[in-house]
Amino acid sequence: MTTRGPLLENEAIILLDRKEREYLRKLNRGAKISIRGGRIPVDDLIGMEEGSTIRSSMNEPFVILRPTLAQLIPNLPRKAQVIYPKDTGLILIWGDIFPGAKVIEAGVGPGALTLALLRAVGSEGSVISYEIRPDFAEMARDNIANFYGPTSNWTLKVKDIILDLDESDVDRMILDLPEPWQVIQKAWGALRPGGILLSFLPTVPQVKSFVDTLRAHQGFTDIQIMESLLRFWHAKELSIRPQHRMVAHTGFITVARRLTNATIKPL
Ligand code: SAH
């Protein structure tokens, strides 16, 4: 959970070296942070203000900051691909995630999107996450506990969402799994009228299957497909230009709105 004021025990921090490279660490009291061949006692960092500079035992300076979600997500411990911050930004807006919302997400993977969803729904909302693999569920549990802290607004279900989807009156549903079209009928049952179904998919044939199934179902409308290309810039003295490397492709976001029960023809 993002906080303010002096740095606290057990918080996550980002250390930036002279080249602004990022190192994600935790403030475990009594421990020493190993960084670029030097060490920094954690007890020296607890109580400092964000934006302070500290020197390691190698006399190398590091700036300390609380990580933003954009810094935390790419540095998150993981065994599966996460949704990148450039796409998380779109998902929060086009998925219209609001404080107090009831949101379902599947799968969880390392929990990168989960962090952003939990923050967006706030303490009045709820996020219910489905993950088929117990080992990924465990990793997500660790990451959320480590980087978000205690969560009363999160439920993690180790289940296959294609077979088992128990919720009703859901505001928003985000699917980041290979065959989301298999969830459409159950998603329609779980979402409230006006609710939003969103999928994140890496390839065009997957998007086609998803959209074709949505249209054939007839219970959804206002289908939109989008992708984002985010190019960072380098700006130092006269060298003001795009950075040489960029992440050129991650996935396509598809959103659709659920119609009322009355608009769908009985089967
Ligand atoms: N959105 C996550 C990454 C998810 S990776 C993040 O941003 O961190 C995709 C996950 O979906 C994997 O962990 C995989 O195990 C899970 N998954 C695949 N099929 C599933 C299903 N039918 N039900 C639940 N989870 C599923």
Side-chain angles (χ1 to χ4, degrees):
M1 179 85 79
T2 313
T3 52
R4 53 208 312 218
L7 295 171
L8 304 170
E9 184 175 350
N10 290 329
E11 277 198 284
I13 55 160
I14 284 278
L15 297 112
L16 299 179
D17 70 11
R18 259 185 288 233
K19 292 194 169 163
E20 294 180 354
R21 284 178 296 220
E22 298 170 354
Y23 306 83
L24 179 66
R25 297 288 189 276
K26 287 265 320 213
L27 295 182
N28 299 321
R29 193 176 281 285
K32 284 199 166 64
I33 290 173
S34 295
I35 187 163
R36 290 178 46 77
R39 300 185 129 216
I40 301 171
V42 167
D43 293 8
D44 292 358
L45 298 174
I46 294 171
M48 284 179 96
E49 289 296 334
E50 288 188 70
S52 307
T53 301
I54 189 147
R55 286 182 182 272
S56 72
S57 55
M58 299 289 282
N59 204 30
E60 184 175 351
F62 294 91
V63 173
I64 48 173
L65 292 165
R66 290 192 171 95
T68 62
L69 276 179
Q71 288 170 321
L72 182 56
I73 289 171
N75 287 296
L76 211 58
R78 61 162 116 157
K79 288 186 226 147
Q81 186 56 267
V82 298
I83 294 184
Y84 278 58
K86 74 179 181 74
D87 298 309
T88 310
L90 287 185
I91 289 170
L92 292 180
I93 292 293
W94 263 270
D96 196 41
I97 310 298
F98 59 93
K102 180 172 177 183
V103 179
I104 290 185
E105 121 187 275
V108 187
L113 182 67
T114 317
L115 286 166
L117 293 174
L118 285 169
R119 193 161 90 171
V121 304
S123 53
E124 300 300 306
S126 60
V127 176
I128 302 137
S129 303
Y130 283 75
E131 171 56 53
I132 198 168
R133 285 183 50 170
D135 54 335
F136 285 177
E138 204 47 52
M139 176 175 50
R141 229 180 249 122
D142 286 349
N143 280 339
I144 301 299
N146 259 329
F147 300 109
Y148 196 85
T151 45
S152 55
N153 55 356
W154 188 44
T155 310
L156 175 58
K157 299 192 170 181
V158 187
K159 282 186 176 179
D160 181 344
I161 196 168
I162 294 169
L163 303 176
D164 252 322
L165 176 51
D166 319 319
E167 276 70 31
S168 56
D169 205 31
V170 171
D171 295 305
R172 311 292 185 234
M173 189 175 309
I174 318 284
L175 300 175
D176 178 15
L177 42 78
E179 298 191 347
W181 51 91
Q182 296 202 48
V183 188
I184 287 174
Q185 177 58 37
K186 282 205 163 66
W188 188 84
L191 283 164
R192 64 162 169 85
I196 296 177
L197 178 61
L198 183 152
S199 79
F200 180 80
L201 288 165
T203 73
V204 170
Q206 287 170 301
V207 175
K208 175 164 166 53
S209 296
F210 187 64
V211 171
D212 286 352
T213 313
L214 276 176
R215 292 206 198 283
H217 182 277
Q218 300 186 339
F220 291 88
T221 187
D222 200 13
I223 300 170
Q224 290 182 295
I225 307 161
M226 69 199 79
E227 66 175 320
S228 78
L229 284 73
L230 180 66
R231 189 166 70 160
F232 286 94
W233 280 57
H234 176 266
K236 203 165 189 188
E237 289 150 18
L238 285 177
S239 170
I240 302 180
R241 52 157 178 82
Q243 286 185 5
H244 293 133
R245 290 162 195 263
M246 69 184 278
V247 175
H249 175 68
T250 52
F252 305 99
I253 292 168
T254 307
V255 283
R257 303 291 300 273
R258 185 206 192 273
L259 294 165
T260 84
N261 299 5
T263 41
I264 185 163
K265 291 184 202 126
L267 293 172

